[in-house]
Amino acid sequence: MSSFKAVLIDKNSERYGAAYVDLDDASLMPGDVDLDVLYSAINYKDGLAVTGKGPVVRRFPMIPGVDLVGRVTRSTHKGFASGDIVVATGCGVGEAHYGGFAQKARLSGDWLVKLPDSLTPARAMTVGTAGLTAMFCMLALERHGARPQDGLAVVSGASGGVGSFAVALLAKAGWRVAAITGHAAEAEYLRSIGASEIFAREDFSQAGKALQSQRFAAGIDTVGGVTLANLLSQTQFDGAIAACGNVGGMDLPASVAPFILRGVSLIGVESVRPRIALRREAWARIATDLDAAMIDAMCEIIPFDQALERARTIVAGKIRGRVVIEMP
Ligand code: NDP
């Protein structure tokens, strides 16, 4: 039996803590695919998990890490064989099932997608849940029938992880993209990844009229709250907004007017459930649509022994772009 290094979160009545430990293979949770983890990444959820600042972990002890890329070492799942490079995001990994902050993982093959050849493991982890969620939003807009020739697409929380990928993906698909940001200093960065117009966050953060000037044909909203209500009020006839986030609030103080008087659609997007066909489609599109240089520009690679400390800092808003963890 071999041992491996992992970050383990545990709690008892007095203490909630995370630490590096040595585990053996027998401690892995059930699954039909064993992996050597090549890379993981630090998501906001991982920060909440290691600090205990949010109820992310649903079973103790737990290895955090909602995203991982690994090489298959054993598989009884018909879809995978030894040597395959696979990616896992969401599906309860790092929350209810041991996740990516470890040298080894044992997962259900139903949660895995083979990495497209053109995407390196490190780039796949840079994309991770953030990029996948942005792609789910774009696919939802496409299914709605939204097309670049219909007008302007808007992205809120544009300089964040999901927002940055949303801007880049929409621009690559041919949309003119308006990026809403609270950081004027990020304007140059946002233009470099494809934004054609920059709007100030404050222009969308006060409650407005139920129907406002029609500015947007489509949108990806990571903010929620009043911002989402304003985006709906400014969406043109038959337009659609894909909503995936709540950094600005869980509420939605909106009117039905955009829906019933302009036929506007609000499409909810979540990235955690294992809808494998949609995941395969999304990863294939990411591999073809995202520019490698742009992905690299968003990525900082750190060694595994810094993962725990850096995961603690993400909840304090001290991480920009994507921090990818390289396993020893
Ligand atoms: P980040 O922290 O990387 O980015 C969020 C961005 O939102 C910030 O960079 C900032 O961008 C903007 N922002 C921050 N605070 C506020 C505020 N109070 N009001 C308005 N804008 C604000 O987060 P992610 O991109 O990783 O995630 C974004 C959201 O999407 C989160 O709510 C997250 O939980 C959610 N999410 C949902 C998923 C799903 O399955 N539905 C999956 C992944 C994420 P700027 O400075 O440019 O304004």
Side-chain angles (χ1 to χ4, degrees):
M1 190 176 303
S2 60
S3 74
F4 63 95
K5 284 217 173 307
V7 170
L8 199 68
I9 303 171
D10 211 349
K11 80 162 184 179
N12 57 35
S13 53
E14 281 128 43
R15 189 176 168 276
Y16 185 107
Y20 286 95
V21 296
D22 289 307
L23 297 175
D24 59 43
D25 291 5
S27 59
L28 287 167
M29 293 172 71
D32 49 10
V33 181
D34 283 2
L35 308 167
D36 281 339
V37 179
L38 301 174
Y39 295 93
S40 186
I42 299 179
N43 286 283
Y44 194 78
K45 257 187 182 174
D46 304 318
L48 294 177
V50 300
T51 57
K53 287 188 174 155
V56 167
V57 178
R58 286 178 272 139
R59 172 200 184 281
F60 293 92
M62 180 52 54
I63 298 175
V66 303
D67 290 347
L68 68 90
V69 170
R71 182 182 292 106
V72 175
T73 55
R74 178 199 68 93
S75 172
T76 54
H77 187 283
K78 62 181 180 343
F80 303 99
S82 286
D84 286 346
I85 306 290
V86 295
V87 60
T89 59
C91 303
V93 174
E95 300 178 52
H97 192 101
Y98 282 180
F101 286 23
Q103 289 175 297
K104 292 192 179 184
R106 178 172 295 152
L107 303 176
S108 164
D110 294 343
W111 305 339
L112 302 174
V113 173
K114 267 188 210 161
L115 209 59
D117 288 340
S118 60
L119 206 54
T120 65
R123 288 192 183 120
M125 267 307 84
T126 308
V127 173
T129 290
L132 194 70
T133 303
M135 180 52 92
F136 283 165
C137 288
M138 200 174 81
L139 292 173
L141 292 172
E142 288 179 356
R143 289 205 175 95
H144 172 79
R147 302 161 310 163
Q149 57 267 40
D150 295 338
L152 192 61
V154 64
V155 175
S156 61
S159 73
V162 179
S164 294
F165 281 110
V167 169
L169 286 168
L170 287 165
K172 179 73 189 207
W175 286 89
R176 273 190 310 118
V177 183
I180 302 176
T181 182
H183 294 96
E186 300 289 2
E188 197 180 327
Y189 160 71
L190 290 166
R191 287 189 197 282
S192 77
I193 60 172
S196 44
E197 297 185 39
I198 310 292
F199 294 150
R201 185 197 296 174
E202 66 207 28
D203 294 345
F204 295 83
S205 55
Q206 302 300 321
K209 287 187 184 162
L211 290 176
Q212 301 169 34
S213 299
Q214 299 174 54
R215 295 211 269 181
F216 309 121
I220 295 179
D221 175 65
T222 72
V223 173
V226 174
T227 299
L228 177 54
N230 280 322
L231 294 189
L232 292 166
S233 300
Q234 295 179 25
T235 299
Q236 67 195 40
F237 277 97
D238 295 332
I241 302 290
C244 68
N246 64 332
V247 288
M250 225 20 186
D251 58 340
L252 180 53
S255 152
V256 295
F259 308 125
I260 63 174
L261 298 177
R262 288 183 180 161
V264 167
S265 294
L266 173 60
I267 309 172
V269 171
E270 71 84 38
S271 66
V272 177
R273 269 183 311 146
R275 288 153 300 173
I276 205 66
L278 181 62
R279 283 168 187 275
R280 283 200 202 104
E281 180 186 1
W283 279 110
R285 278 287 295 275
I286 284 165
T288 54
D289 288 14
L290 276 177
D291 181 47
M294 195 282 288
I295 299 177
D296 292 347
M298 290 179 65
C299 172
E300 176 191 355
I301 296 184
I302 61 165
F304 184 40
D305 60 10
Q306 292 177 14
L308 182 50
E309 205 39 54
R310 293 299 296 276
R312 289 186 174 120
T313 65
I314 196 171
V315 260
K318 289 188 178 154
I319 284 185
R320 185 179 181 281
R322 294 276 295 165
V323 176
V324 169
I325 304 161
E326 184 167 24
M327 290 301 157

